[in-house]
Amino acid sequence: MFSWLGTDDRRKKEPEVFQTVSDGLKKLYKTKLLPLEESYKFHEFHSPALEDADFDNKPMVLLVGQYSTGKTSFIRYLLEQDFPGMRIGPEPTTDSFIAVMHGDTEGVIPGNALVVDPKKPFRKLNAFGNAFLNRFVCAQLPNPVLESISVIDTPGILSGEKQRISRGYDFAAVLEWFAERVDRIILLFDAHKLDISDEFSEVIKALKNHEDKIRVVLNKADQIETQQLMRVYGALMWSLGKIVNTPEVIRVYIGSFWSHPLLIPDNRKLFEAEEQDLFKDIQSLPRNAALRKLNDLIKRARLAKVHAYIISSLKKEMPSVFGKDNKKKELIASLGDIYKRIEREHQISPGDFPNLKKMQDQLQAQDLTKFQPLKPKLLEAVDDMLANDIAGLMVLVRQEETQKPNAVVKGGAFDGTLDGPFGHGYGEGAGEGIDEAEWVVARDKPAYDEIFYTLSPVNGKVTGANAKKEMVKSKLPNTVLGKIWKLADIDKDGMLDDEEFALANHLIKVKLEGHELPSELPAHLVPPSKRKIAE
């Protein structure tokens, strides 16, 4: 009897089953989070409603920096080709937001046409008006890099108050809109004229809550010498520490991201290593895109819940007939106390609350009597989504990642140094001597032989105990020496002959010079007399 009641209740608690992460996010947003947002005017206070294109679009990289820091040159460097609307120069050249995206033919789509295209994730930008849309274009071109990511180029940030006012739209608000939707934010600084203007400082503060997406590039680093570069790097970290309010240090990549010859080539190896690290970070974006969208939806849901508590609390306090204006002023002034009360009642972290000053300013223009009271069912739906459905989607994210292990950005600069002699680290460390006919260890073998014969070899071989006495002089940890032993003892007899001993010392030298050891011994390092054994 009444068994259907139990079935219905059980159905509520069971998470929904989805085919793809993107479909799951769309359905969860529309059915569980959007009703809460609409009921409590979330879109008027924080962020416009999400659309299908926001969940389906490719990962996006947002470039932000003061004028002439090399943002457009950076995109040109990645794509290895010009894009429509591109202008590069030492003066403030890029005066528009340019979304560089993949297209079958080269062309430019103006902003007003762009925000009515349902396939592009830019429809909600129409809220910023014509002053912005006249400064927003999409450059489309067939390029292999753009098959995996899109790049947003931004106008150079100016230093004067006069230029800031003449933009005609809220520049920081537009960047905040993009920051919510992109996968990576790259802040570019010019090593030759390091300065953080007031507007740039304001912009960085507007990117608050998105620190996990931010990376910093200290560009044009080839224009200054090593000692100066060290000072500039220290000054940059000091300046960022005063603006970006996080205990963690933001990752800074040092280099010169254009295809011109290096002016001062002293730090070439450093620039190459930093470039490879940055490229790996960008290349990982397609693989992690679903996880990023899931993470952003959870952040949005938490903010929407807090917003609902704030709005309903204000509604509860408002009188129904007299004294509305005075009560409104009183409530806005005491919003900080309301925050604290909600924090205590619902066990919410202070970091989940919106900016107090901004919220107070927005409430001035609102009619508090038209706000909605608390609707437990809407909040329960969001809680259910966070507790059950998101866990199911996490499993699906991992499945999609394993199905697409090679989902990385390809083409352009990303393919420039993958193979051949100009690949990163080619001919260095364990790769030294890879193209030489002679065995590379033979160069230093006479010196290693002198040590070998002082270790009392028996039948041409030294025991592990005797070899250990010599190898530990390198001061390398036992775990590293153990790996070197495994690589050098090619015939696996627990002893080393003169060639194996020379190889072990060569690998110790490789490690002491700061290079990584190979997981398997490369063919060119195998002693000539042992090459048949290795095969």
Side-chain angles (χ1 to χ4, degrees):
M1 189 179 172
F2 302 128
S3 61
W4 56 273
L5 283 172
T7 312
D8 189 52
D9 193 47
R10 197 162 53 247
R11 193 184 301 127
K12 250 189 207 175
K13 290 181 181 176
E14 282 175 6
E16 296 199 44
V17 178
F18 304 110
Q19 297 302 312
T20 67
V21 175
S22 181
D23 289 343
L25 290 171
K26 277 189 251 182
K27 190 168 181 188
L28 286 178
Y29 177 69
K30 285 175 185 170
T31 59
K32 298 194 174 181
L33 184 54
L34 186 59
L36 181 78
E37 291 183 355
E38 287 174 338
S39 185
Y40 296 102
K41 299 188 175 185
F42 180 85
H43 307 138
E44 291 179 34
F45 284 85
H46 300 289
S47 172
L50 299 177
E51 299 193 328
D52 286 356
D54 290 310
F55 297 104
D56 294 333
N57 69 315
K58 292 169 189 166
M60 292 194 287
V61 177
L62 178 69
L63 295 182
V64 183
Q66 294 176 187
Y67 75 90
S68 193
T69 51
K71 296 185 296 298
T72 309
S73 297
F74 183 85
I75 299 173
R76 169 80 186 65
Y77 183 69
L78 292 185
L79 303 183
E80 290 187 344
Q81 83 176 85
D82 293 348
F83 56 87
M86 182 186 89
R87 282 178 65 217
I88 294 173
E91 75 284 9
T93 46
T94 306
D95 65 343
S96 302
F97 281 80
I98 304 176
V100 186
M101 306 181 87
H102 188 267
D104 295 330
T105 54
E106 278 199 27
V108 173
I109 304 171
N112 282 292
L114 198 56
V115 294
V116 294
D117 185 350
K119 291 182 182 175
K120 298 275 193 299
F122 305 122
R123 279 162 57 100
K124 297 295 180 181
L125 281 168
N126 60 9
F128 293 102
N130 272 334
F132 167 70
L133 295 178
N134 292 337
R135 292 273 176 269
F136 179 44
V137 295
C138 175
Q140 290 191 313
L141 67 156
N143 184 285
V145 173
L146 300 174
E147 288 174 12
S148 308
I149 58 169
S150 302
V151 188
I152 313 291
D153 192 9
T154 61
I157 293 169
L158 304 167
S159 51
E161 186 72 22
K162 186 180 167 189
Q163 292 98 319
R164 279 179 56 199
I165 294 165
S166 66
R167 284 197 197 273
Y169 60 90
D170 191 339
F171 183 67
V174 173
L175 281 177
E176 199 174 342
W177 187 94
F178 275 110
E180 275 185 32
R181 288 157 178 79
V182 300
D183 295 68
R184 187 66 74 239
I185 302 164
I186 297 179
L187 303 179
L188 277 98
F189 292 88
D190 185 340
H192 209 249
K193 48 179 194 296
L194 187 63
D195 169 48
I196 300 181
S197 69
D198 290 345
E199 189 179 19
F200 197 12
S201 174
E202 203 177 290
V203 162
I204 295 171
K205 284 173 183 169
L207 303 177
K208 192 177 184 296
N209 301 326
H210 303 289
E211 287 91 351
D212 56 318
K213 298 179 182 179
I214 296 176
R215 302 289 183 272
V216 174
V217 168
L218 185 58
N219 201 13
K220 305 185 184 180
D222 67 314
Q223 297 183 7
I224 54 178
E225 291 174 357
T226 306
Q227 188 182 14
Q228 292 174 314
L229 182 60
M230 187 178 73
R231 294 181 189 281
V232 168
Y233 178 79
L236 174 63
M237 298 306 286
W238 182 82
S239 302
L240 285 173
K242 300 189 81 168
I243 301 168
V244 183
N245 198 15
T246 58
E248 299 84 15
V249 177
I250 286 182
R251 177 66 166 96
V252 177
Y253 299 92
I254 302 169
S256 197
F257 295 90
W258 63 350
S259 51
H260 294 255
L262 300 175
L263 290 179
I264 301 170
D266 301 1
N267 299 306
R268 184 188 190 105
K269 285 181 91 170
L270 170 68
F271 299 158
E272 285 173 3
E274 292 284 284
E275 182 182 284
Q276 287 303 311
D277 285 353
L278 178 60
F279 280 6
K280 279 178 192 168
D281 187 68
I282 296 172
Q283 282 183 302
S284 70
L285 294 179
R287 202 182 309 124
N288 301 326
L291 195 57
R292 195 274 304 168
K293 285 169 187 167
L294 185 65
N295 185 51
D296 282 358
L297 188 71
I298 295 167
K299 274 203 279 191
R300 190 181 176 100
R302 289 165 71 96
L303 180 59
K305 273 181 65 184
V306 172
H307 180 76
Y309 286 130
I310 295 166
I311 296 298
S312 58
S313 292
L314 293 169
K315 168 68 177 176
K316 192 177 175 184
E317 297 286 333
M318 282 298 287
S320 54
V321 186
F322 300 112
K324 292 178 186 176
D325 288 345
N326 288 337
K327 189 63 179 175
K328 176 181 172 180
K329 285 176 189 171
E330 186 188 312
L331 286 171
I332 291 172
S334 62
L335 189 62
D337 296 329
I338 293 169
Y339 274 19
K340 284 174 186 169
R341 193 176 71 239
I342 294 167
E343 191 185 315
R344 282 195 310 272
E345 283 177 14
H346 302 283
Q347 286 82 50
I348 296 168
S349 165
D352 287 351
F353 284 83
N355 180 276
L356 180 63
K357 178 75 174 68
K358 190 178 174 186
M359 193 73 177
Q360 286 172 324
D361 292 343
Q362 288 171 322
L363 285 168
Q364 300 287 355
Q366 296 285 337
D367 183 353
L368 272 57
T369 57
K370 291 184 179 174
F371 284 174
Q372 295 289 331
L374 198 63
K375 296 178 180 175
K377 280 194 174 179
L378 292 176
L379 286 161
E380 281 169 18
V382 175
D383 284 334
D384 178 55
M385 177 186 89
L386 293 171
N388 301 313
D389 299 313
I390 294 293
L393 274 180
M394 278 299 293
V395 175
L396 204 54
V397 166
R398 297 293 173 225
Q399 286 175 1
E400 283 192 4
E401 281 179 358
T402 52
Q403 286 164 9
K404 298 188 290 184
N406 299 319
V408 294
V409 183
K410 293 177 181 173
F414 297 99
D415 289 350
T417 58
L418 280 182
D419 304 306
F422 296 98
H424 180 60
Y426 189 92
E428 297 172 10
E432 186 187 352
I434 191 167
D435 298 327
E436 295 175 22
E438 296 276 323
W439 186 41
V440 68
V441 182
R443 292 179 200 161
D444 300 315
K445 191 170 180 293
Y448 298 143
D449 283 348
E450 283 183 28
I451 302 166
F452 178 79
Y453 288 113
T454 65
L455 299 175
S456 311
V458 178
N459 297 328
K461 294 192 174 190
V462 293
T463 62
N466 285 347
K468 181 182 176 181
K469 287 174 192 171
E470 182 58 34
M471 290 171 72
V472 293
K473 289 179 184 176
S474 67
K475 298 181 183 174
L476 289 170
N478 282 352
T479 49
V480 175
L481 292 173
K483 185 174 182 182
I484 289 171
W485 178 272
K486 283 180 186 172
L487 291 169
D489 185 13
I490 293 161
D491 52 16
K492 310 296 177 200
D493 63 352
M495 302 176 85
L496 300 181
D497 63 19
D498 61 324
E499 287 183 329
E500 291 172 330
F501 182 77
L503 174 60
N505 279 279
H506 178 77
L507 292 172
I508 287 171
K509 188 180 96 170
V510 165
K511 188 63 185 171
L512 290 174
E513 286 173 354
H515 301 285
E516 289 302 314
L517 292 171
S519 52
E520 290 181 13
L521 193 67
H524 71 280
L525 286 183
V526 178
S529 64
K530 303 274 193 312
R531 284 181 184 170
K532 285 185 180 175
I533 299 170
E535 288 168 11

